Each structure stands twice: as structure tokens, then as C-alpha cells.
């Protein structure tokens, strides 16, 4: 990935931006911070990392700007001299370097200028890594900043000289698509890559650790461990916590630890599914119809078109206006936790991608919609 970002790999578009999607808690951020970022740094790249979920009270644009300003601070003297030559006077005031995605004041740096200052002062290319990047499109300022990043990439890079690398990761592919999937999207035309999940190799590694530390447990049933890992949604932290419980010396039943682990995983899976069914059944008929349509259509969800309103009417048994559908959508967003997500351009998606997986499984099994016995 580091080589593709630096433009060293043929037939790859990653030098124009690497967009990575992976479900929550499957190791995406761990991979970025512990593997990709150190590799880039070892190759002489200045890495700027920001997690847009780190402070959900602040506008995503502010978080990205703050991360860039923090990266610029070690090069303060050199940047101040260059800024003076470039006619940028908003240095040393407030947040030190004042810049905006679309500056309106004389003396403030544009985002491309700020990144050029960082690149030239540090004497090395910059990789801007934005985790949970889909959050940027939930505000107008975030959308504007993303468009400015695209402009900065185009200004700073040539096919044989990559100075600005962009990595955008997200825990929901449908939401991350809002950065690339329409002419109005800031990175229109780029492709989302699905990060591979940990699987059999990871389980075999865990089994090897167990057998070396506790020889009495050998041979470990790796197939049963893999079933449990799958039931935990390929989430290593949840799996390892349950593994600790299953292998506890306080466990008093006579089962092997693999069977205890699988039982824990299956019980948790049932609990998650029951919680989602309870959330759905707790909605009023129109809210259920809107959420059903959103789950069914995914990226193609259009809440107010004729087809959607005909669907709402078929489910609720009465005509539904656009205003009524909008109120239902807003009520889904205002729930705790929210069931719907909205971009600044008025696009909607299911908040938790796990619910989409649950919906599709029930549809495939012929059990949708859920009943009170779910």
C-alpha cells in the first residue's frame, strides 16, 4: 500500500487517493496506525493522521485543519519565512497558521498553500490519513475541505512526482461512497477498496500460541475457533475477550474451551440480532417503512421519489407525503443511538452497517420483516 501511494506500482490509482472500507472493530485503524503509517514514515514520508470520530462535537473540517497545523509546528521558523515570501500574513495568530479550505481574507493561506508549506519546510512528501472519512461529508465545511484536498492533490502531484498522498478510511462502505460516487462528490471517479478481514491465518496463529503456552490444550480445534470468530463479525478484540473467558480456570463445566467460546459467540450474536429486531419493532409503521426502504435500497435510497412513497403507502396502508417521510427520517436520526445517518447534501444511510447485514440475512431466510418472536 505504501508503494502504491507513492506512485511506485503500475496500474494503480492509489496515488490519487486510497479509499479503504472495513466494518467497525475489525482492525482497520490498528492496521493504519501500527502498520501502514510506520511503513510510510520509514520511507521518508511526513504522516498526518486524524480520526474524525475523536471529537464528534467539533466540525470534521476543524479536526483536519488542527491535525495539519500540529504537523506544521515543528517547522515553525522555516514556514514563517516561506509564508512571508508568499504573502501569507496570518502566521503566529491564534492557531499560528491560519488557513481555510476556501479563504476569503487576505493573508490567510489556502489549504493547498498550507500543505505546500509543510512539504517544502519538511523536505519530504506528506501523507494525510483521515480515519472515518465519511464524517467529513456530514457538514458543509467538511465537504468544502474535501474539495480543497482534491485541489491540493491536483496542484501538488505529477504522475512521476507524488508529494501529497491521501488515505481515506471508513467503517461503512455505503457512507464512504459519498466521497466518490457522484459528479458532486469531491473525489468522483475514485474506487473504494474493501479491506480484507482477518481469517483462517489469524485463527491458526492464535491456536499456535495456545498450544505453545498450554500444551495440554493441543490439538486446538481451529474450525470451531473460526466459527466463533465469524460469529463475532471477524472482530479480534471481542473474540480475544471471549477467548479469555472461555479459557478461564474458573470455568466449571466439562466442555472444551473451544465449545465454550463458540457458545459465547452464538449467544452474543443472538443478543445483537434481538436488539436490532427490538429497535425495528419499537418504531411506528412509517418509521419502519422508511428504515425498511433504506435497508433495501442502500446507496440507491431516494426517500421522497414516487417509488419510495408508493412503498411507504404499501407498507403503512395510507398515502405518505414527502414532509411525513422527512419527519420519519429525522426521528430515526434523533434516536439514541441513531438509526439513520445524513450527509450535508441530504443523502441518507443506515447508521450501523451491521443492521444491513442483519436485514439481508433475514431476507435470504424468508423471515423479513421480523415478528414479535424474533
Amino acid at each position: 500500500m505504501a508503494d502504491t501511494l507513492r506512485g511506485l506500482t503500475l496500474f494503480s490509482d492509489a496515488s490519487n487517493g486510497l479509499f479503504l472500507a472495513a466494518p467497525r472493530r475489525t482492525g482497520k485503524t490498528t492496521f493504519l496506525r501500527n502498520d501502514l503509517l510506520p511503513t510510510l514514515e520509514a520511507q521518508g514520508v511526513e504522516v498526518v493522521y486524524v480520526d474524525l470520530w475523536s471529537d464528534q462535537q467539533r466540525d470534521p473540517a476543524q479536526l483536519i485543519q488542527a491535525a495539519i497545523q500540529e504537523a506544521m509546528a515543528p517547522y515553525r521558523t522555516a514556514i514563517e519565512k516561506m509564508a512571508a515570501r508568499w504573502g501569507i500574513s496570518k502566521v503566529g495568530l491564534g492557531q499560528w497558521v491560519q488557513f481555510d479550505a476556501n479563504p476569503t481574507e487576505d493573508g490567510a493561506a489556502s489549504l493547498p498553500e498550507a500543505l505546500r508549506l509543510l512539504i517544502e519546510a519538511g523536505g519530504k512528501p506528506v501523507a494525510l490519513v483521515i480515519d472515518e472519512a465519511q464524517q467529513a461529508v456530514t457538514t458543509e465545511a467538511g465537504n468544502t475541505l474535501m474539495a480543497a484536498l482534491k485541489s491540493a492533490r491536483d496542484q501538488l502531484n505529477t504522475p512521476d512526482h507524488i508529494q501529497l498522498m491521501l488515505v481515506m478510511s471508513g467503517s461503512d462502505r455505503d457512507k464512504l461512497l459519498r466521497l466518490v460516487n457522484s459528479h458532486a462528490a469531491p473525489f468522483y471517479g475514485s474506487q473504494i477498496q474493501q479491506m480484507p478481514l482477518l481469517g483462517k491465518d489469524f485463527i491458526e496463529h492464535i491456536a499456535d500460541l495456545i498450544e505453545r503456552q498450554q500444551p495440554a490444550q493441543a490439538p486446538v480445534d481451529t474450525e470451531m475457533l473460526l466459527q466463533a470468530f465469524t460469529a463475532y463479525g471477524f472482530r479480534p478484540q471481542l473474540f480475544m475477550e471471549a477467548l479469555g473467558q472461555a479459557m478461564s480456570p474458573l470455568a466449571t463445566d466439562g466442555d472444551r474451551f473451544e465449545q465454550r467460546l463458540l457458545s459465547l459467540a452464538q449467544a452474543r450474536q443472538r443478543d445483537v440480532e434481538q436488539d436490532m429486531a427490538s429497535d425495528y419493532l419499537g418504531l411506528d409503521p412509517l418509521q419502519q417503512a422508511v428504515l425498511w426502504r433504506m435497508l433495501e435500497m442502500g446507496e440507491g435510497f431516494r426517500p421522497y421519489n414516487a417509488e419510495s412513497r408508493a412503498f411507504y403507502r404499501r407498507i403503512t396502508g395510507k398515502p405518505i407525503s414527502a414532509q411525513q417521510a422527512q419527519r420519519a427520517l429525522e426521528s430515526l436520526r434523533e434516536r439514541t443511538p441513531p438509526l439513520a445517518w445524513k450527509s450535508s447534501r441530504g443523502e441518507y444511510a443506515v447508521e450501523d452497517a451491521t443492521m444491513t447485514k442483519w436485514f439481508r440475512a433475514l431476507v435470504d431466510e424468508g423471515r423479513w420483516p421480523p415478528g414479535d418472536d424474533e
Side-chain angles (χ1 to χ4, degrees):
M1 283 188 181
D3 287 344
T4 60
L5 282 167
R6 296 173 61 213
L8 302 178
T9 304
L10 292 175
F11 313 119
S12 172
D13 188 50
S15 58
N16 288 321
L18 182 60
F19 297 82
L20 300 171
R24 293 178 188 177
R25 302 179 75 180
T26 55
K28 166 180 55 66
T29 298
T30 301
F31 168 75
L32 289 175
R33 301 194 70 163
N34 294 355
D35 295 292
L36 182 59
L37 272 59
T39 300
L40 287 167
E41 288 171 342
Q43 294 180 357
V45 176
E46 179 83 35
V47 174
V48 181
Y49 172 85
V50 56
D51 179 359
L52 298 189
W53 274 353
S54 62
D55 185 351
Q56 297 191 43
Q57 301 304 311
R58 296 177 67 186
D59 192 292
Q62 294 177 343
L63 293 174
I64 296 169
Q65 287 177 327
I68 295 171
Q69 287 164 335
E70 183 178 348
M72 297 171 84
Y75 308 107
R76 183 180 189 120
T77 301
I79 286 176
E80 286 176 345
K81 290 178 180 178
M82 280 190 290
R85 291 200 304 270
W86 296 1
I88 298 169
S89 60
K90 297 295 179 68
V91 177
L93 302 174
Q95 292 179 313
W96 182 51
V97 178
Q98 288 193 10
F99 67 89
D100 197 313
N102 186 22
T104 56
E105 294 184 73
D106 291 339
S110 67
L111 180 58
E113 286 174 333
L115 288 166
R116 188 184 294 276
L117 284 170
L118 176 57
I119 290 165
E120 296 200 10
K124 50 188 175 182
V126 167
L128 178 58
V129 181
I130 303 176
D131 208 353
E132 301 302 344
Q134 74 279 349
Q135 292 303 107
V137 300
T138 61
T139 70
E140 288 296 337
N143 258 317
T144 301
L145 189 138
M146 285 287 145
L149 276 180
K150 192 267 184 188
S151 176
R153 180 202 69 186
D154 294 345
Q155 292 179 43
L156 295 170
N157 293 347
T158 62
D160 57 353
H161 187 47
I162 305 300
Q163 297 191 89
L164 177 63
M165 306 163 212
L166 300 175
V167 180
M168 310 273 182
S169 75
S171 56
D172 187 325
R173 186 177 182 276
D174 283 349
K175 293 175 189 169
L176 200 61
L177 276 169
R178 316 299 169 159
L179 290 167
V180 304
N181 69 343
S182 72
H183 288 285
F187 295 97
Y188 176 64
S190 293
Q191 301 298 311
I192 306 291
Q193 297 188 39
Q194 194 75 33
M195 285 189 66
L197 299 171
L198 295 173
K200 190 173 182 180
D201 288 348
F202 171 69
I203 293 302
E204 289 176 348
H205 167 68
I206 296 299
D208 181 62
L209 290 176
I210 293 170
E211 289 176 353
R212 283 193 279 123
Q213 293 180 12
Q214 299 189 30
Q217 299 288 1
V220 171
D221 187 335
T222 56
E223 287 303 316
M224 196 172 286
L225 260 60
L226 184 58
Q227 288 181 51
F229 188 50
T230 303
Y232 276 111
F234 303 94
R235 292 171 168 85
Q237 182 181 354
L238 294 177
F239 173 79
M240 296 300 287
E241 289 173 356
L243 183 59
Q245 294 180 46
M247 297 190 70
S248 169
L250 299 177
T252 56
D253 60 51
D255 291 334
R256 286 270 304 178
F257 79 91
E258 298 98 328
Q259 183 58 57
R260 288 197 293 270
L261 176 63
L262 183 57
S263 297
L264 286 170
Q266 291 170 339
R268 183 186 182 279
Q269 188 175 33
R270 287 193 298 271
D271 289 345
V272 170
E273 292 172 355
Q274 288 170 0
D275 286 346
M276 286 187 286
S278 177
D279 285 342
Y280 181 83
L281 293 169
L283 302 174
D284 67 38
L286 178 54
Q287 291 170 338
Q288 287 184 355
V290 170
L291 182 58
W292 181 344
R293 183 70 172 174
M294 203 183 320
L295 288 163
E296 187 173 69
M297 299 304 295
E299 183 195 347
F301 176 61
R302 303 292 181 269
Y304 314 123
N305 65 11
E307 291 82 1
S308 290
R309 289 168 62 188
F311 179 86
Y312 306 150
R313 179 170 186 165
R314 187 168 74 250
I315 300 303
T316 64
K318 58 185 179 181
I320 300 298
S321 68
Q323 290 77 15
Q324 288 173 306
Q326 183 179 31
R327 285 196 294 271
L329 273 166
E330 291 306 311
S331 68
L332 294 175
R333 291 181 64 217
E334 291 166 2
R335 289 176 63 91
T336 304
L339 295 178
W341 172 93
K342 182 183 179 183
S343 78
S344 65
R345 296 197 300 267
E347 302 162 314
Y348 290 89
V350 176
E351 176 64 39
D352 187 351
T354 305
M355 182 168 268
T356 302
K357 184 178 178 182
W358 164 74
F359 164 77
R360 289 174 180 162
L362 288 186
V363 170
D364 290 344
E365 295 166 9
R367 297 194 294 121
W368 182 266
D372 292 328
D373 57 341
E374 291 290 340

